[in-house]
């Protein structure tokens, strides 16, 4: 499939590279065409990788992955022609982390709203799926790096869109029983607010190589 | 030891009963002496169980467990003579859950503060340990009810106080490797904000009988 990655950070590069490896064509979008980081990434990844503006990337793709910093995601998406988002699967990997007062970050949106919901409300014709935002990027595309059970928490209003995301997750090595669908996009409040714990676990463990498992009876 | 339970709900009853079973003396405190629920609980639990006002309970105890509804915890603690909190281990089990708009609740305190921190600031001479707040009460006192790995997330500024809490946890069946000390009381922001995910996991699973495990490489 044709995929767009919005953002040129580690999350975008890791997901983009894994999607290329799975045979997809991936355009990495940034504020300006010829962003150095995106050009370098595309050059290393071969002919199925390309780069352009956020708008170029979204226009080219069937599936769009928001891998931008959460504080900027809404403005980035607002700069894209709505027609280029309409009907498309929009995987929201971002978290509204505000590092302006250092580590640990606070959330710029929480409690009564979430970034995932705000994106869905701003782009009602996009099929937003919140996914992969509860773990560090090396785990998103290589879940078997962790030794025990753990899960991929997802939510979104469109079940067909979630099925597309699930197929991508399975291609990365996630197992059927690791897929944890919380329900509609309003559940993003839960997965984003968990970040307040995630950053503290990270601070304590001194490694981002962890994820949570929901353990039952 | 002499313990006080502040609150007469399921959390307080479960913890109080487990502490009685471990040989401690437990006074359950409520707004009024002779609270029906507390009187009934104490009558069933034998001679080591008693009940009284919040102030009575705190005055009698070496270790105080805040098992009140989080929205009321600060006012309840404010009604206790500071001398009866000073130097004591105060286990804060509460979460600032606001159900006034139904389920799922929002948090009445979050992001830039936490209930645990507010309690510690309001009672600087108490030795506050945030613990047991990330799971349903049947799991607090019987961790082996869950089939896989899972952890008890704790935080607080006083390591001796945390050692007292750990001893209590171990008496309930928690294992050394399930004890996860996140650091100072400011880490309560993480464990309380996780509740936004907890309530949604509960809504999805339709049972409170779960907890999370932190899975590593």
């Amino acid at each position: 499939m044709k995929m767009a990655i919005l953002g040129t950070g580690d999350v975008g590069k890791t997901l983009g590279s894994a999607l290329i490896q799975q045979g997809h064509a991936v355009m990495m979008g940034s504020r300006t065409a010829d962003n150095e980081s995106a050009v370098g990434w595309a050059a290393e990844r071969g002919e199925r990788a390309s780069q352009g503006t956020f708008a170029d990337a979204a226009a080219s793709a069937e599936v769009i992955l928001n891998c931008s910093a959460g504080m900027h995601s809404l403005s980035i998406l607002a700069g894209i022609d709505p027609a280029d988002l309409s009907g498309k699967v929009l995987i929201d990997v971002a978290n509204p982390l505000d590092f302006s007062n250092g580590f640990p970050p606070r959330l710029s949106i929480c409690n009564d709203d979430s970034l995932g919901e705000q994106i869905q409300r701003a782009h009602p014709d996009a099929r937003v799926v919140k996914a992969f935002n509860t773990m560090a990027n090396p785990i998103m595309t290589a879940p078997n790096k962790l030794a025990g059970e753990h899960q991929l928490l997802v939510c979104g209003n469109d079940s067909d869109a979630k099925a597309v995301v699930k197929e991508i997750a399975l291609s990365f090595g996630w197992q059927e029983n690791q897929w944890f669908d919380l329900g509609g996009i309003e559940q993003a409040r839960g997965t984003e607010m968990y970040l307040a714990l995630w950053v503290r676990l990270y601070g304590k463990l001194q490694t981002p190589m962890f994820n949570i498992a929901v353990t039952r009876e």
Side-chain angles (χ1 to χ4, degrees), chain A residues 3-57:
Chain A
M3 310 266 190
I5 297 280
L6 307 182
T8 62
D10 287 343
V11 171
K13 285 179 182 168
T14 299
L15 284 166
S17 299
L19 291 167
I20 292 278
Q21 208 160 7
Q22 293 302 319
H24 302 289
V26 178
M27 185 182 287
M28 179 172 283
S30 53
R31 283 196 193 278
T32 53
D34 303 322
N35 169 290
E36 199 174 328
S37 180
V39 168
W41 173 83
E44 278 174 20
R45 297 299 153 176
E47 59 179 13
R48 286 197 305 277
S50 59
Q51 60 79 34
T53 64
F54 291 126
D56 294 337

Side-chain angles (χ1 to χ4, degrees), chain A residues 100-168:
Chain A
S100 56
N101 287 317
F103 186 90
R106 68 191 296 275
L107 295 175
S108 62
I109 308 163
C110 77
N111 213 12
D112 298 311
D113 208 349
S114 64
L115 178 62
E117 289 167 276
Q118 290 196 2
I119 290 174
Q120 183 65 85
R121 284 204 304 277
H123 304 283
D125 297 331
R127 300 149 77 201
V128 178
V129 179
K130 190 95 201 181
F132 299 113
N133 67 305
T134 56
M135 67 199 73
N137 68 78
I139 300 166
M140 297 176 189
T141 58
N144 56 9
K145 283 194 176 166
L146 301 187
E149 286 186 37
H150 63 109
Q151 281 114 26
L152 173 55
L153 302 173
V154 297
C155 63
N157 296 339
D158 186 304
S159 53
D160 291 338
K162 286 194 272 200
V164 170
V165 178
K166 189 176 192 174
E167 202 171 331
I168 292 169

